Amino acid sequence: MSDAAAAKPEEGKKKKARKAAVQPTPPPEVSTSFIVLRAVISGTLGCPIGGGSPPSLLSAKSDGGPAAEDDVDTTPSLMQPSFIKDGYPSGKFSIPLGKKTGTACCVTLPDSGEGGSEEETDALLKVLETAANNAIRADLPITTFTMNRDDALATYGECILDAGQKNKFGKGGGKKKKKKDKKKDNKEDDDGGDDKKEVADNMITLAYLPNLILAVVPGPIYTRTSMIPGRIVLERGANATAISAGKKARKCDITIKFKVEVEETGDGSACRMVTDPVIATPGTNADSDDQKIDPIEIAELLTKSVRTEEGRMLLQKQEQDAALDADADAAASKLASASLAADGTDDPKGGDSNDAGNDDDMVVNAFEVTGKIDYTRLVSDFGSKLIEPELLARLERLTVGRGTVPYLHRFLRRNIFFSHRDLAKICDCLEQGKPMYLYTGRGPSSGAMHLGHLVPFLFTKWLQQAFQCPLVIQMTDDEKFLFKGVYSDETGDNLDHFASLTIENARDIIACGFIKEKTFIFSDLDYIGSMYPNIVRIWKAVTTNTVNGIFGFDGTSNIGKVAFPAIQAAPSFPSSFPVALGAGRDSDMACLIPCAIDQDPYFRMTRDVAHKLVPKSHPLGGKPALIHSKFFPPLQGAEGKMSSSDPNSAVFLTDGPDDIERKINQYAFSGGQKDKKLQEEHGANLEVDVSYQWLRFFCEDDDELERIGNEYESGSGEFWSTSVVKAKLISILQEMVAEHQGRRKDVTDEVIKEWMAERCIL
């Protein structure tokens, strides 16, 4: 047989179809870490979570940041299954970030080219690594649900996909299909088997980390971030984690090679923290909209905006560095010694000038606190009274003298709670054995409370113990919605969001250690019915002109804002608590309200009409008594008050030891001098030094605080320098916050229900 003849049968054979490459399914620790890293990288650098988002989503959030440039697609690459070759949990992917030094980002990426700084690159990668592991420690919930692929892409856009998924699903969302011959198609139509398979193939599973990311998962995923059995490490070296950026670069991106360092047990074996990481079963559609994520919740994730605390701190540092570059001498002088006076001469004591002109910048009302606070002037303006030594001694006799507490609270000893209304009449009630109760509250504006929020609750806990009296705590979730809520025609409002914050804040409040049998925590949204008769009476007694004059409302304010002051006033009257206090209209229980002085306007209004809601026998004529605190200063300077909206101004009760140390060292404003010689000559300005001011709030030992102040102010002794004083503060805060977090872990949802159950607390 000829060669040609032998070849013919081979030519007649059908070519075997090439098998499509199958992407290996990553283990759950890798899948979850991939989602967490996508979340924190986009949130920290301030770029959208992906590309290809419906225009309706970008307009869903009224206060969202700007969109990234039209030609910038921040879709991450398909995650490479490096865990197969490495032999340990790992993965690798990249994210495009625009051009130059990151035109898609808020944060400026370090130049990776010639002349660039490897230290800056390494520092940024450490920030990202820290953010990822902070997300693990934060025990964030991961919501998972399944949807039809086309419905999901129509609802959320291609921002939920990585590049591999985009290629797999094809343009517009439909999965790419191979051509089939007509005969095969007809057969499939007859038996219907492939129809079911196609329905299953059309389902995708999504994971959502609140305020961080919504994405299609690459494999099985845990239900909480803390279930990742170890820590995330960004691997360095050749073909590993790297940043490509430069002022003239046509392309900017970041490549991430990560591994999960699995924790080990004492015997050296791997410690698996969970055994069942399985998520919602793929191929099962969500039965109701309640199982899906409202598009309004991811609107901000599609904008060019920083969404993590680490990112905010990084961005602020870059802005500060830019300011130093622009005016190095002036900025360095101000930050190091704060010694520039209004005329440009040096103040050897450090800190900002104390000229009277700064007082004109002071603004204190129910909604804003700014400028240098003159508390003496504030007391005069508000018409309250300073707590005199005689009243303080009387209060000590009625508390310490009766053995209910060992000593006066440090906030009283140090004049932090400094002003009052009718506190002497509360002392009269205590001496005469007349009933009284405490009332304080919290507006739940964020999931994590900070140290400034803790101040009134720490003092209220002491008052409850000292007076052995009932306490009601109002959670004004309604107020926060009226003032900060948002609405979209597509998704409705976010009232439920503020209701959920009430529960989270209640955990922190309960962890403060109040007497459970004597404490009732309530949400306005749940409890307002019992208070409503008194709310109506207050509405009847107070004119719109009065409310507008006190709070600055005008015709543009929604009617809920105008109505709300009566809701905050109502708990001042015992008849608002017919069960908790067993009180009716004839009750003459006195009420004492510990609060920051910016809340005084609410209760000035209340006191003006109080006589209309109580019997004539009431010892204060129905008026609630108040005791006011000074403001807890932000990290950047001892003016104004701490704010949740600026995470760099605060230490949060969820912060870890490293977070606390970093924030104090990097952001706590110093009143010390710029070098050792000047510090020894002039000492520190304690009035503007944040670390010392915070020690006044949290260092219990009066003698130790006095020694720290004397040595720091004179520039001598153990506490002569800023670094030593900061170290002392860090140690105190780390211990205090850790103890609080330990108590908070024990506050389950069932425990919260018990504290918020309406019951008698007398």
Side-chain angles (χ1 to χ4, degrees):
M1 183 181 292
S2 67
D3 291 342
K8 287 182 180 180
E10 295 297 327
E11 293 174 0
K13 290 183 180 180
K14 293 183 178 179
K15 292 183 179 179
K16 291 184 179 180
R18 181 181 296 176
K19 291 184 179 180
V22 177
Q23 178 75 3
T25 300
E29 57 265 45
V30 174
S31 295
T32 311
S33 297
F34 174 61
I35 295 296
V36 168
L37 282 166
R38 280 189 58 182
V40 300
I41 290 171
S42 61
T44 302
L45 299 183
C47 67
I49 59 173
S53 307
S56 58
L57 275 183
L58 290 176
S59 60
K61 186 173 176 63
S62 59
D63 59 347
E69 295 180 5
D70 293 338
D71 60 345
V72 174
D73 184 351
T74 55
T75 300
S77 69
L78 172 71
M79 185 183 68
Q80 298 177 22
S82 59
F83 53 88
I84 295 176
K85 180 179 179 181
D86 291 340
Y88 54 80
S90 66
K92 185 177 181 181
F93 65 98
S94 61
I95 300 177
L97 300 171
K99 304 174 183 178
K100 301 182 179 180
T101 55
T103 54
C105 306
C106 295
V107 169
T108 301
L109 274 65
D111 194 328
S112 60
E114 188 174 344
S117 170
E118 291 185 8
E119 291 182 358
E120 290 182 3
T121 299
D122 191 58
L124 177 57
L125 295 177
K126 285 182 179 179
V127 169
L128 297 177
E129 186 176 271
T130 298
N133 288 298
N134 283 345
I136 295 175
R137 285 194 292 269
D139 188 28
L140 301 176
I142 303 177
T143 302
T144 58
F145 60 99
T146 59
M147 283 184 72
N148 175 277
R149 178 179 60 237
D150 296 334
D151 290 344
L153 294 176
T155 303
Y156 306 116
E158 293 187 345
C159 63
I160 61 176
L161 307 176
D162 62 36
Q165 293 160 348
K166 275 189 177 183
N167 182 60
K168 178 180 178 182
F169 297 152
K171 188 69 176 176
K175 187 175 181 179
K176 290 182 177 178
K177 300 178 181 178
K178 295 182 179 180
K179 292 183 179 180
K180 302 177 182 178
D181 59 75
K182 189 173 183 180
K183 184 176 180 181
K184 187 174 181 181
D185 284 342
N186 290 338
K187 182 179 179 182
E188 290 168 358
D189 291 341
D190 290 339
D191 60 28
D194 277 18
D195 289 341
K196 294 180 181 179
K197 184 177 184 300
E198 184 175 353
V199 169
D201 287 345
N202 284 343
M203 303 308 297
I204 57 175
T205 303
L206 297 96
Y208 176 64
L209 270 70
N211 304 317
L212 287 174
I213 195 168
L214 176 67
V216 176
V217 299
I221 191 169
Y222 296 127
T223 56
R224 303 192 74 88
T225 56
S226 63
M227 298 169 76
I228 295 175
R231 61 187 296 269
I232 293 174
V233 176
L234 301 188
E235 296 187 272
R236 314 295 207 271
N239 299 317
T241 302
I243 294 174
S244 175
K247 294 180 180 179
K248 297 182 180 180
R250 295 183 179 180
K251 183 177 72 171
C252 173
D253 59 34
I254 182 169
T255 298
I256 298 294
K257 173 67 164 63
F258 70 92
K259 68 177 179 179
V260 180
E261 282 193 345
V262 179
E263 295 178 350
E264 295 185 349
T265 60
D267 60 5
S269 61
C271 173
R272 304 301 301 180
M273 297 171 65
V274 292
T275 59
D276 185 16
V278 180
I279 54 172
T281 305
T284 303
N285 201 359
D287 294 327
S288 70
D289 289 338
D290 292 339
Q291 294 174 266
K292 303 172 186 175
I293 300 301
D294 192 327
I296 197 173
E297 295 191 38
I298 72 162
E300 188 176 1
L301 308 185
L302 311 179
T303 64
K304 188 175 175 181
S305 60
V306 172
R307 300 177 293 276
T308 68
E309 180 184 344
E310 293 81 7
R312 296 184 187 98
M313 295 177 67
L314 182 61
L315 185 60
Q316 184 182 46
K317 185 177 186 302
Q318 289 188 348
E319 291 171 347
Q320 290 176 341
D321 290 344
L324 286 171
D325 290 340
D327 193 359
D329 292 337
S333 177
K334 182 176 181 180
L335 291 172
S337 64
S339 63
L340 291 181
D343 61 357
T345 59
D346 288 338
D347 172 10
K349 288 301 294 178
D352 291 331
S353 172
N354 245 348
D355 60 286
N358 283 346
D359 293 345
D360 295 335
D361 298 330
M362 180 179 74
V363 176
V364 177
N365 57 48
F367 312 112
E368 182 182 8
V369 177
T370 58
K372 185 176 178 62
I373 309 301
D374 182 338
Y375 288 103
T376 302
R377 173 184 155 189
L378 200 56
V379 166
S380 176
D381 291 347
F382 280 13
S384 60
K385 295 181 179 179
L386 293 172
I387 298 177
E388 301 291 344
E390 295 78 13
L391 181 57
L392 200 61
R394 186 182 180 192
L395 195 60
E396 185 173 18
R397 289 196 302 272
L398 292 169
T399 55
V400 180
R402 292 182 175 182
T404 54
V405 288
Y407 36 72
L408 282 178
H409 198 281
R410 60 183 180 272
F411 292 167
L412 287 171
R413 304 195 305 264
R414 295 169 190 169
N415 203 34
I416 291 171
F417 273 82
F418 72 108
S419 166
H420 74 100
R421 294 185 187 274
D422 285 336
L423 184 58
K425 291 186 179 181
I426 293 294
C427 291
D428 292 341
C429 291
L430 293 171
E431 289 172 344
Q432 298 166 17
K434 293 182 178 180
M436 56 88 63
Y437 70 100
L438 296 168
Y439 157 41
T440 192
R442 162 80 180 131
S445 59
S446 62
M449 291 170 56
H450 58 57
L451 293 180
H453 296 141
L454 200 60
V455 168
F457 290 110
L458 292 177
F459 184 61
T460 302
K461 173 195 171 185
W462 182 87
L463 288 174
Q464 184 185 47
Q465 185 66 40
F467 297 155
Q468 289 294 299
C469 65
L471 162 68
V472 295
I473 301 176
Q474 181 184 40
M475 306 298 287
T476 58
D477 33 25
D478 53 343
E479 174 212 13
K480 292 305 176 184
F481 172 70
L482 292 170
F483 283 82
K484 296 186 177 182
V486 295
Y487 173 83
S488 165
D489 289 337
E490 291 81 10
T491 60
D493 60 48
N494 63 342
L495 178 59
D496 290 345
H497 168 67
F498 293 100
S500 67
L501 293 182
T502 284
I503 302 302
E504 291 307 307
N505 286 188
R507 295 185 201 277
D508 282 311
I509 293 170
I510 293 169
C512 290
F514 295 103
I515 303 171
K516 181 179 179 181
E517 295 74 19
K518 294 181 177 292
T519 305
F520 174 43
I521 304 174
F522 64 94
S523 155
D524 281 348
L525 292 175
D526 293 334
Y527 186 73
I528 199 166
S530 297
M531 299 191 296
Y532 193 66
N534 280 342
I535 291 170
V536 172
R537 292 184 179 103
I538 298 167
W539 282 338
K540 176 67 174 176
V542 180
T543 67
T544 304
N545 285 340
T546 298
V547 173
N548 290 347
I550 294 174
F551 299 100
F553 300 137
D554 55 30
T556 65
S557 303
N558 65 60
I559 59 176
K561 291 183 179 181
V562 180
F564 176 75
I567 299 174
Q568 183 158 322
S572 306
F573 304 100
S575 55
S576 293
F577 304 97
V579 175
L581 299 180
R585 287 292 310 282
D586 59 349
S587 175
D588 58 2
M589 287 184 75
C591 176
L592 174 62
I593 304 172
C595 61
I597 196 168
D598 60 332
Q599 296 299 297
D600 186 75
Y602 283 105
F603 302 110
R604 292 205 304 271
M605 179 202 75
T606 306
R607 287 166 59 90
D608 287 343
V609 300
H611 62 282
K612 298 183 179 181
L613 283 84
V614 298
K616 293 183 178 179
S617 61
H618 194 283
L620 281 74
K623 297 179 179 180
L626 291 98
I627 182 167
H628 302 127
S629 75
K630 295 177 179 178
F631 302 118
F632 188 61
L635 280 168
Q636 286 84 353
E639 297 181 3
K641 71 173 184 178
M642 186 174 285
S643 170
S644 293
S645 60
D646 182 1
N648 295 326
S649 76
V651 168
F652 289 86
L653 298 180
T654 53
D655 284 345
D658 293 343
D659 300 318
I660 294 171
E661 182 177 9
R662 182 180 67 253
K663 287 184 177 182
I664 299 301
N665 282 332
Q666 290 185 7
Y667 295 106
F669 190 86
S670 172
Q673 303 300 326
K674 58 187 176 183
D675 57 43
K676 182 178 180 180
K677 180 180 179 181
L678 288 174
Q679 177 66 16
E680 290 176 340
E681 289 178 0
H682 304 292
N685 184 340
L686 302 184
E687 292 300 315
V688 301
D689 190 274
V690 169
S691 297
Y692 177 77
Q693 291 299 320
W694 281 27
L695 283 170
R696 292 189 68 246
F697 279 82
F698 297 119
C699 179
E700 181 62 50
D701 191 321
D702 289 340
D703 292 337
E704 184 177 30
L705 179 67
E706 182 179 10
R707 181 167 75 91
I708 292 171
N710 289 339
E711 292 180 355
Y712 191 28
E713 190 173 32
S714 64
S716 61
E718 178 185 356
F719 295 97
W720 71 275
S721 70
T722 298
S723 61
V724 180
V725 175
K726 284 187 174 183
K728 178 65 177 179
L729 174 63
I730 289 167
S731 174
I732 290 174
L733 294 184
Q734 286 175 333
E735 181 179 0
M736 183 181 72
V737 172
E739 290 176 354
H740 180 90
Q741 291 172 352
R743 294 190 298 268
R744 192 183 192 276
K745 287 182 180 179
D746 297 329
V747 183
T748 64
D749 290 346
E750 284 301 316
V751 170
I752 294 173
K753 289 179 181 177
E754 293 172 3
W755 284 72
M756 299 185 74
E758 189 176 10
R759 67 204 189 284
C760 181
I761 58 172
L762 293 176

